[in-house]
Every structure is written in C-alpha cells, then in structure tokens.
Amino acid sequence: MIPKRKPAVPIPASAFGPSSETTVTWLSGAGFLINCHGTCLLIDPVLTKDPEDSSKSECGLPLKVDFPILAEDIPENCTVFYTHADGDHLGPATAKTLAQKKIPMIGTLAVFERLARLGVPPEQIQVLRTEENMELDGIRIESTPADHPWQLKDLKRGGRPYRFGDCCGFIFNTPDGRLYFPGDTRLMEQHFRIQNIDLLALDVSTCEYHLGHTSAVILANQFPSAYLMPFHYGTYDCPEIAAHKGEPEDVYPQITGSEKRGLILAPGEPFVLQ
C-alpha cells in the first residue's frame, strides 16, 4: 500500500535569501533547490503547469501533488543546472520563464542544444562536460557520468539514444558537505569511485534505464553516512510509466541505516544539512 503523502509546502521568498547554512529542498519530480549560504542553485526544475489543463505538468503528465513554487516566482539570484534534456527534467516552459529572468543555465552540450532551440540566448548557457569541474561562489561543482539511453525502449518515438556525455550528474562541494545529484542513470563503474558523499538524491523509480531498485540500494550503501533524499516518486499519476513508478519505502528497508538517514519530505519542505 502506498502511504498517503504530505501536500506541498509553499516555498517563501526567504528561501532564496541570505543564509548561514546549506538547505536542500525537493521541488517534486526530479527537481531540487539548494540554498548554500545565500547562493541558490536549481537542479532540473519543472515548475509550470499545462496552460490548457492545470491538473497536468508542462510535460503532459497528470499531477498527484501541487508545485511548491511556480517558475514565474523564482527570483533572479539563481543558477540552473540541468542533468539532461528530457522534458521532465528540462521543462521547456520553465526554462523559457527562467531565461527571461536572465538566470544562467549550465549542463551538457545536449542541454545547450536543447536550450538554444528553445530560444535561450547562447551567452546565458554554459556547457559543463562530463567529469569537468567549475567554481561558483566558493562551491566546487563536479559533473559526473550518467548512462541513460532510455530511447532504446522505443527508437521510433525516442530517436537517437543518449550517448555518453549527453547526460550527467552533479556533485556540489559546499562548506557543509558534498551533495550528489546523479540524475537519471544506470549504475556505472565510475559511481564506485565517488567518495565522502553527505547527501544523495536517490532515484527510486523502477525504470531499467534508471538505477532501478537493486542499484538504488547498492548506490545508497556506497555512501553509508549520506542522507538520502528520494526523487522520481509521488509526483505524477502515471503508474504505467516505470520512470515515475516506485516509492522510497520500496528500497529503504534494504539500505543500511535508512531508518536514520532516509528522508521522505513533502515538495517544498526544507532540509538543513547538518
């Protein structure tokens, strides 16, 4: 039985203001907000509804939960990081709204191409290739490999499968710890070279081109001290789509120490990294 989830918690303007700590907030779907000592980062935000049907997200999927904030309410003092160009990670309407605010956007070359096709000015987009690093306000950001050729399931619909370098994950090295957002990926040998993670965004979907439950447990146990912040659950009402099917409770019982470090938060509910 799927537990009843808490409703979204509206994100106030103060969540983007000055801070003396690092706060991580799940935005629903695969999206996150980090406020690291006043530096605000968005990962894969999809925060716009279908203009013709408010019960659906801009990516066309029916919503189980409301968004904690809408794209037009995101302030200008943010930077967006995209792990890949799928519509449930790089929401076209959200990206266009954020681009109008002159918010910088960072991702792989495939992300650059997608944003440019949407009309985002190229000078507003920075390419960060897999296994490259960058600095932003004292935060060191590492781009990690990802393996996500989901198009192999349906080449006619999906087109060319994602190749190595089209998708990525991100590690944010903050004063309060290392935060790892792997993006959509199957388990890779390179993941076992990553160490000392303090917070892991954990994909709990059942899709074979994501971690899947077995690999989610393996990856979580690779970082036995990391807090776990699940995603790809509880947002879209489409149980027939494996990428949006799954629950944290499906994997937490097999994860070492999950009773202390496994989080289940409402969209918009902040978590302060200790």
Side-chain angles (χ1 to χ4, degrees), residues 30-106:
F32 294 90
L33 163 67
I34 301 171
N35 183 330
C36 176
H37 296 250
T39 297
C40 294
L41 315 172
L42 296 166
I43 299 102
D44 292 347
V46 177
L47 299 171
T48 305
K49 295 182 179 179
D50 184 329
E52 298 181 359
D53 185 351
S54 62
S55 70
K56 294 182 178 181
S57 165
E58 63 178 283
C59 59
L61 300 176
L63 290 163
K64 284 184 176 180
V65 66
D66 209 356
F67 293 134
I69 192 169
L70 295 176
E72 56 261 35
D73 297 320
I74 297 291
E76 298 174 0
N77 67 321
C78 292
T79 300
V80 179
F81 290 82
Y82 287 117
T83 62
H84 63 293
D86 283 348
D88 65 324
H89 288 250
L90 196 166
T94 296
K96 290 179 181 179
T97 298
L98 300 182
Q100 292 172 355
K101 298 171 180 280
K102 309 299 182 185
I103 290 175
M105 300 179 179
I106 298 167

Side-chain angles (χ1 to χ4, degrees), residues 91-133:
T94 296
K96 290 179 181 179
T97 298
L98 300 182
Q100 292 172 355
K101 298 171 180 280
K102 309 299 182 185
I103 290 175
M105 300 179 179
I106 298 167
T108 64
L109 182 59
V111 165
F112 179 97
E113 292 171 347
R114 175 62 174 147
L115 290 171
R117 287 197 301 270
L118 290 172
V120 179
E123 61 272 16
Q124 204 169 324
I125 314 165
Q126 179 176 342
V127 174
L128 184 63
R129 291 177 172 82
T130 302
E131 298 184 318
E132 289 186 342
N133 300 336

Side-chain angles (χ1 to χ4, degrees), residues 175-196:
D176 302 299
R178 279 164 53 85
L179 320 180
Y180 184 23
F181 299 83
D184 289 3
T185 182
R186 297 185 290 197
L187 192 63
M188 303 174 69
E189 180 183 351
Q190 291 93 326
H191 292 140
F192 293 96
R193 302 173 191 164
I194 298 171
Q195 298 179 349
N196 303 320

Side-chain angles (χ1 to χ4, degrees), residues 230-245:
F231 69 99
H232 271 316
Y233 79 101
T235 300
Y236 301 116
D237 190 11
C238 46
E240 72 283 1
I241 301 177
H244 304 292
K245 179 183 177 182

